Amino acid sequence: MLEIKDLHVSIQGKEILKGLNLSVKPGEVHAIMGPNGTGKSTLANVITGRDIYDNISGEIIYKGKDLMEMAIEDRAREGIFLSFQYPVEIPGVSITNFMRAALDEIYLYKGKKPLSGGEFLKYFNEKKQLVEMTANLANRSVNEGFSGGEKKKNEIFQMAMLNPDLAILDETDSGLDIDALRIVANGVNKLRTSENATIVITHYQRLLDYIVPDFVHVLYGGKIVKTGGKELAFELEEKGYEWIKDHADIEL
Amino acid sequence: MSDSNQILDEVTQSDYKYGFVSNIETETIEKGLNEDVVRLISMKKNEPEWLLEYRLKAFRKWQQMEMPDWAHLKIPSIDFQDIIYYAAPKKKETLNSLEEVDPELIDTFNKLGISLEEQKRLTGVAVDAVIDSVSVKTTFTATLAKYGIIFCSFSEAVQEHPELVRKYLGSVVPYTDNYFGALNSAVFSDGSFCYIPKGVRCPMELSTYFRINAANTGQFERTLIVADEGSYVSYLEGCTAPQRDENQLHAAIVEIIAHKDAEVKYSTVQNWYPGDKEGRGGIYNFVTKRGLCEGANSKISWTQVETGSAITWKYPSCVLKGDNSVGEFYSVAVTNNFQQADTGSKMIHLGKNTRSTIVSKGISAGRSHNSYRGQVKINKNATGARNFSQCDSLLLGDRCGAHTFPYIDTKNASAIVEHEATTSRISDDQLFYCQQRGLDTEKSIGLIVNGYAREVLNQLPMEFAVEAQKLLAISLEGSVG
Ligand SMILES: Nc1ncnc2c1ncn2[C@@H]1O[C@H](COP(=O)(O)OP(=O)(O)O)[C@@H](O)[C@H]1O
Ligand SMILES: [Mg+2]
């Protein structure tokens, strides 16, 4: 589904990603771990098309298409979804209207007939239950005055609404108490199928108790330096990132 | 909700949709302005002597006045002798049925989405359609008459209800008020008149649709709304004009009187031709709108969505004379390309416990300039008066300007006046967030801007709100990227 080869990314003259490789197949869950500031969000941004980097080289192929050539909105319409680390507020725009607009655009792009008002509401209410979203929250403006946990819930709710093929969850666990974490993780798990894939970015092992990954990658110094199964997450948690330096699969 | 869908669909249609010119046979008089022209207009309208006198006094006053220069606007000099002051679609006399209206005219209004055929209007909005200088058709007059409501063209009111017109004309905006007000008082051609009797709640929205069609003409309409004790009316105003390279002058007056316990809601979606992307052409919109809360517990609300015109000079205001009366002003003003707007409100508190609210949302893009100008005046007898003003500016791009000029003048120590102002930009983070959900740049901006203006749009009647949302998105086309 996603093939990243030798990805280099720099911002303001500083190289952040230095030859990153990653391959994700349908049905898989990949966790990307690494200390703060290593470029995990940068990777998510580059996949989704954020246009703030001065230099990007390498290859990102998604469903056989060159992503670098695609506009941000087209990547989204092709099924790439990002659960933001810091979701932004859009005052005055209700979540309902926001999702309606987004869904209509995606349907239009795919040549499908947009949902009628009634169909949309039914669908909307179904998905709301998935993340135990209250009616009150759904009527509020997008992220405006939301607590950290509410913001993350709202991201997963939107993910449920848009039903992506490739979901990237950027630190979706940060700022969540244990109950919220469970709800959010449950939502993500229910959305898993053999057709879609998830990339979970986190620097705590905790989330991976709930969303069990097939692969764990350690991002360090701009590259994926170690890949393993879910037990790698425990090892990391226990031994810290210093340990990686001596046990990397590739030269640092 | 299907509305927001539709709105987003239509964002992609660029340019001014209403720029067409209709081929209507028009009767015009010679260009230029002098006492004879004033007399000629009055004669054509078969006016009583007192009204001619009123016009002449206004004209003489206007000649002594100077064009105001205090607004934050660059107004090219206007040659008032190069304007035609009267233009009317031919073959009128009083029209009794729609068959007598020029088909081209009906067609024009159909293109604008305004149906003049009553039976075809499901929404139940009574319309007075004004083209160039005259009112061509008022709908639902008979239905409204059952309630004792008078809703007709201004000219008709002068003939049929002279005592009402005489009593209220100029009672809120005297001809001495300001330069453009004096000009209007001298040469006003037509407009709408509305009277709601005591205790009557008007059963439908009343609406005036203004259309400039003829070239080189000025439009000077006059609207007078009187709400008698305990009555209620919601009034809508829409306007468009053809796309022309020359600027055209529009100088209107709207006067509202609300008696004891009466309420008037006046909503405008102003969409005069704004000029092209280089700043050529467009309407000069110099308008005086003022409401008088004459009686106790009366209320007047102005809601405006201003997207059109090359230059806008407009300050819908309330004089809060009755005790406990309430004045409100909700405004969204968008400027793009080379448009200029200087708009805001005046709230004059005279009575006790009078309250006013001002919510102004400016949106500037391109190389435009957008100013809020507001005055809150608390008289010494206005014990317990309160005002709250919120003035927000949203900037798109870095070549436009937003300015705020609030004036507060309090002569009563018990008054509470609050003013808040913010300036913001659409952030890259917001845009990226929307785009990541599948919306393209223009749709993202449309959505964000409509969200920003939500508080004001919520004040509009449903049908108008949808129109306004589309307009907001369309008028900002191509402003980013
Ligand atoms: N807009 C930006 N401008 C300059 N530097 C940035 C910007 N965004 C991120 N960076 C830098 O890029 C590096 C990687 O950041 P990020 O991808 O957010 O890390 P992570 O998500 O792994 O914590 C950091 O050193 C950060 O300071
Ligand atoms: Mg990060």
Side-chain angles (χ1 to χ4, degrees), chain A residues 41 85 170-171:
Chain A
S41 293
Q85 181 173 5
D170 191 358
E171 312 263 5

mmCIF file of all heavy atoms in Angstrom, chain A residues 41 85 170-171, ligand 2:
data_model
loop_
_atom_site.group_PDB
_atom_site.id
_atom_site.type_symbol
_atom_site.label_atom_id
_atom_site.label_comp_id
_atom_site.label_asym_id
_atom_site.label_seq_id
_atom_site.Cartn_x
_atom_site.Cartn_y
_atom_site.Cartn_z
ATOM 1 N N SER A 41 6.600 13.373 13.381
ATOM 2 C CA SER A 41 5.547 14.215 12.804
ATOM 3 C C SER A 41 5.926 14.670 11.396
ATOM 4 O O SER A 41 5.084 14.801 10.521
ATOM 5 C CB SER A 41 5.284 15.435 13.682
ATOM 6 O OG SER A 41 4.731 15.020 14.912
ATOM 7 N N GLN A 85 -1.305 15.474 15.762
ATOM 8 C CA GLN A 85 -0.759 15.561 17.111
ATOM 9 C C GLN A 85 -1.342 16.790 17.829
ATOM 10 O O GLN A 85 -1.689 16.716 18.993
ATOM 11 C CB GLN A 85 0.775 15.664 17.055
ATOM 12 C CG GLN A 85 1.401 15.734 18.442
ATOM 13 C CD GLN A 85 2.932 15.676 18.416
ATOM 14 O OE1 GLN A 85 3.548 15.666 17.347
ATOM 15 N NE2 GLN A 85 3.528 15.628 19.581
ATOM 16 N N ASP A 170 -0.823 10.354 14.872
ATOM 17 C CA ASP A 170 0.358 11.009 15.411
ATOM 18 C C ASP A 170 0.150 11.348 16.885
ATOM 19 O O ASP A 170 -0.551 12.290 17.214
ATOM 20 C CB ASP A 170 0.669 12.272 14.598
ATOM 21 C CG ASP A 170 2.042 12.847 14.945
ATOM 22 O OD1 ASP A 170 2.729 12.289 15.840
ATOM 23 O OD2 ASP A 170 2.431 13.854 14.316
ATOM 24 N N GLU A 171 0.774 10.588 17.741
ATOM 25 C CA GLU A 171 0.692 10.788 19.199
ATOM 26 C C GLU A 171 -0.759 10.919 19.661
ATOM 27 O O GLU A 171 -1.090 11.797 20.459
ATOM 28 C CB GLU A 171 1.470 12.046 19.620
ATOM 29 C CG GLU A 171 2.860 12.142 19.041
ATOM 30 C CD GLU A 171 3.955 11.643 19.981
ATOM 31 O OE1 GLU A 171 3.624 11.139 21.063
ATOM 32 O OE2 GLU A 171 5.133 11.738 19.600
HETATM 33 MG MG MG C 2 5.541 14.857 16.806
#
